[in-house]
Amino acid sequence: MIKLIFLGSGSAFTVGANNFQSNMLLVTEENHKLLIDCGTDIRFSLHAAGLSYGDITDIYISHLHSDHVGGLEYIAFSTLFDPLAQKPKLYLSKDIASNLWDRTLSGGLRFLDGEIATIDTFFEQQKIEYQGHFTWQEIQFDLVKVIHVNNGFTLMPSYGLSFNIEGIKVFVSTDTQLCYQENQEIYESSDIIFHDCEISCYQTPVHANYQQLLKLPSRIKNKMWLYGYQPGCLPNALKDGFCGFVERGQVFEFSDLQKNQLFEKVMH
């Protein structure tokens, strides 16, 4: 049995203890853990789940916004100075890796007492080729290029994940605009979709919003869970044909017996 735990299901600027940023944790039956993104509030969301930095040995990074990488400094320093902690392994696309240290982490991590650090001081990196994949605990994770921020000159590198667990094909969009046409095959072939969904009245152009997602075919909405939303009153996603909004702490369990009736529960 493999579990996907939502340490948080909120947007980048979620405030308060009721929710955290949308970082997730895959846990195998042998208790191996893969953290999917590592935002600024990761120490709080891990603590709320009864975990800490010492439990994190493998991390996937989808893109370089702080709600996805802002907690790496905490993980880096905590594991470096704890002799019992393992150096975490980072899985990330090569175009993200080229900027992660120089433009995101080096300001806080570069200077150590008596040493000039590099990213290799803190992490073991696995850089993934374009249209590539990585393997963790015998599961293949395919990177899915999504459109998150387009400044008119270039796209900010950002990648969702597609993977198969016990015959169940899962798509996690991470932060994205609605890319249904660009990635239609992924949407169609997936058994369950966890999708970025903005509900704010002041919609931004860099996230899929609820009104857009409402227009998707019923066969897509019927297998789609929504996350990454702002605080406030949520629309009636079940009535509108979705699986629902993911709650903080919600656990999805995958087994070969559950392809047609995925079992989910809320952690307490």
Side-chain angles (χ1 to χ4, degrees):
M1 183 82 68
I2 294 180
K3 299 183 292 186
L4 178 64
I5 304 171
F6 276 77
L7 299 175
S9 58
S11 67
F13 307 115
T14 294
V15 177
N18 292 331
N19 209 348
F20 298 110
Q21 296 160 345
S22 292
N23 301 160
M24 304 160 223
L25 197 64
L26 266 178
V27 184
T28 69
E29 197 165 1
E30 297 77 22
N31 211 29
H32 299 292
K33 301 178 181 69
L34 173 68
L35 181 63
I36 300 176
D37 285 324
C38 184
T40 50
D41 59 14
I42 193 65
R43 55 197 173 118
F44 303 112
S45 60
L46 283 173
H47 178 74
L51 301 167
S52 74
Y53 67 85
D55 295 292
I56 303 305
T57 57
D58 297 272
I59 306 170
Y60 170 73
I61 297 299
S62 66
H63 67 289
L64 294 179
H65 280 147
S66 65
D67 55 319
H68 297 262
V69 296
L72 286 176
E73 182 172 308
Y74 157 70
I75 298 290
F77 278 135
S78 297
T79 54
L80 180 68
F81 293 111
D82 184 344
L84 299 180
Q86 180 178 328
K87 179 186 286 190
K89 187 169 186 177
L90 290 181
Y91 302 87
L92 67 177
S93 179
K94 288 182 74 172
D95 50 353
I96 294 174
S98 64
N99 288 316
L100 177 61
W101 179 254
D102 290 340
R103 297 187 174 183
T104 305
L105 296 179
S106 64
L109 291 176
R110 184 167 178 255
F111 297 99
L112 294 175
D113 190 38
E115 183 181 352
I116 300 296
T118 70
I119 193 168
D120 297 322
T121 306
F122 304 97
F123 300 105
E124 178 187 348
Q125 294 186 91
Q126 180 171 329
K127 302 176 184 179
I128 304 161
E129 301 288 341
Y130 177 65
Q131 295 185 328
H133 65 269
F134 68 94
T135 301
W136 174 79
Q137 297 301 314
E138 300 183 354
I139 302 170
Q140 177 173 308
F141 294 81
D142 297 310
L143 271 61
V144 179
K145 188 172 185 178
V146 296
I147 301 171
H148 183 25
V149 181
N150 183 352
N151 63 17
F153 295 95
T154 186
L155 293 177
M156 178 184 190
S158 189
Y159 298 89
L161 288 176
S162 177
F163 52 97
N164 192 301
I165 300 178
E166 302 286 359
I168 299 167
K169 187 172 181 180
V170 182
F171 174 44
V172 178
S173 74
T174 68
D175 284 10
T176 183
Q177 301 175 35
L178 180 57
C179 301
Y180 179 63
Q181 290 184 336
E182 293 84 351
N183 291 315
Q184 185 171 355
E185 190 278 329
I186 299 291
Y187 284 85
E188 296 283 355
S189 64
S190 296
D191 297 304
I192 184 168
I193 299 169
F194 298 100
H195 207 283
D196 186 16
C197 178
E198 187 174 67
I199 63 165
S200 173
C201 296
Y202 307 103
Q203 295 175 358
T204 68
V206 299
H207 294 277
N209 65 67
Y210 191 78
Q211 296 304 315
Q212 289 176 314
L213 295 171
L214 270 178
K215 299 174 184 178
L216 288 171
S218 295
R219 66 182 182 277
I220 304 298
K221 293 192 293 182
N222 288 342
K223 55 187 178 181
M224 182 177 284
W225 285 89
L226 308 175
Y227 75 96
Y229 50 87
Q230 292 82 4
C233 184
L234 297 175
N236 191 335
L238 286 173
K239 180 180 178 181
D240 288 332
F242 300 100
C243 295
F245 283 94
V246 179
E247 299 179 12
R248 176 180 74 83
Q250 192 161 353
V251 179
F252 294 81
E253 296 183 350
F254 303 97
S255 78
D256 55 359
L257 302 177
Q258 296 167 331
K259 181 164 184 177
N260 295 319
Q261 51 177 35
L262 295 170
F263 172 67
E264 70 281 348
K265 66 182 179 180
V266 178
M267 287 178 62
H268 298 288

